[in-house]
Amino acid sequence: MTQLDVRPQGTDTGDGAPAEGMRTKGLSGNSVGLLGSAVIGVSTVAPVYCLTSTLGSTAGEVGLQMPAVFLAGFLPMLLVAFAYRELNKAMPDCGTSFTWTVKAFGPRVGWMCGWGLVIATIIVLSNLAGVATSYFWLLAGEITGSESVAALDGNKGVHIVTCLALIAIATVISYRGMTATKGVQYTLVALQLLVLAVFVAMAFTKSGSAEFPTSVDFSWSWLNPFAVQSFAAFTAGLSLSIFMYWGWDACLTANEETSGSSRTPGRAALVAMVVLVGSYLATGVAAQMVVGSGDQGLGLANPETSDNVFAALAGPVMGPALGILLFVAVLASAAASLQTTFIPVARTVLAMSTYEALPASYAKVHPRFRTPGRATVTAGIATGVFYTVMTLLSEHVLVDTIYALGLMICFYYALTAFACAWYFRADLLKSGRDLMFKGLFPVVGGVLLTAVFAKTLADMWDPAYGSGSSVLGVGSVFVIGVGLLALGLVIMFVMGRRSPAFFRGEVLTKSTPALVAED
């Protein structure tokens, strides 16, 4: 009598053997545990930075339903996180989205998915470096009590030099390996969450007091997404909310350096997601209770303060002394994320090079630190050059590039979700669990992100989207977003001439879990 083995062919079954077609990269294994991996996921998202830059914008779009939109944005990310977890169990590879979509859909779709991740990360790195620079000088001005020191951020030369210095520091830390990364992140993430907790507690305490005339009483309707005044407002708020969760998958790209590589990163991603949604909901509710979501005074939607809410609320809510801690937390958040965001881009490039989808030189791992040294340094240089050129060229172009980021995020997350359902298609009817976690949840998450992708693409056509600039009557955000994806197609064509074996499917082959008969 035969016994059926339902394990995916080539899956890591616990004996340390890589999955079918997978290649080892030479990274330092067992460097990170569950806690360290979850911390990296939270850090990459940069919750305090995301909150200060998006609370006001989201409130401006959906009013008091901001907490509901935070929940709505959490849903597709949670569903996609299940896809990442299942794929990582079968194929724990640092190439994550790239590797998995190649296995599911073939080399060209996989290459473009990897490109989407890489270009999105470069954009985020440049943005984070700029934010960290601004808050560095803002904090220096607060500490010294000098407006002239704070105003140094407005000096383009000083700003660029400071920004490049921060990028260099982050690159060096990432270059030295996961152990150095983990040690820095424990401190910075703990500081962020602690300061957020203090802010939330003090906002709850002061809500309704005479010094905050715009404060409002809590209502459960704040958690009802159907109460948003229009679908257009809801989708605009949802797009902002999805951006606030981007980066949790960094703990998956460190899977080959994590203890229990097939299970720990997936669990860490879910832990990071829960911490993030809890932080966002608590802060959003507390901020609305203390100042409201209006556009007057300290109201969150006030256009004069909505792009940097904590700068306006730090002193009134926490007082002069503790308020400085909120500036420190935003700086720590941006700096921490700047450093950990090197993890996904460097390891994705490493994997693409290892599987011959990029030049072989990027597959080199530092012999001492066991990190993708060349890929990390290249990412740092690319970030510095990108930010410098964009800043000198036009601040409008830089702003529009950041707005185009949502397109890249939805693109590669949705592809990864669909890859999960397609890769495991032979498993879906084996059990209710397989149907839900390998099929239904990923597909729903992918459909939701595809809908946001399509809506964002349509909105980008309008020159009013983003900075308001245009190219031949077409919104510059659309031109940049679609142009960056098109650039990926061009590079893919060039690599197809240089590395035909990968694009013929001979290096990393398509496969699917199958029933294997054993005597």
Side-chain angles (χ1 to χ4, degrees), residues 157 216 231 258 281 291 351 452 519:
V216 292
F231 182 71
T258 305
L281 284 176
V291 298
V452 175
D519 293 331

Side-chain angles (χ1 to χ4, degrees), residues 32 39 61 124 146 152 158 164 180 191 193-194 234 237 254 404 411 492:
V32 185
V39 164
E61 295 288 351
V124 169
S146 171
L152 285 174
V158 173
L164 293 178
L191 173 64
L193 297 180
L194 177 61
F234 176 77
F411 175 75
M492 182 177 71

Side-chain angles (χ1 to χ4, degrees), residues 487-510:
L487 176 62
L489 288 172
V490 173
I491 297 175
M492 182 177 71
F493 175 77
V494 173
M495 286 307 305
R497 303 292 296 272
R498 295 186 57 180
S499 182
F502 169 79
F503 290 96
R504 287 197 299 261
E506 298 171 2
V507 179
L508 190 59
T509 58
K510 289 173 63 176

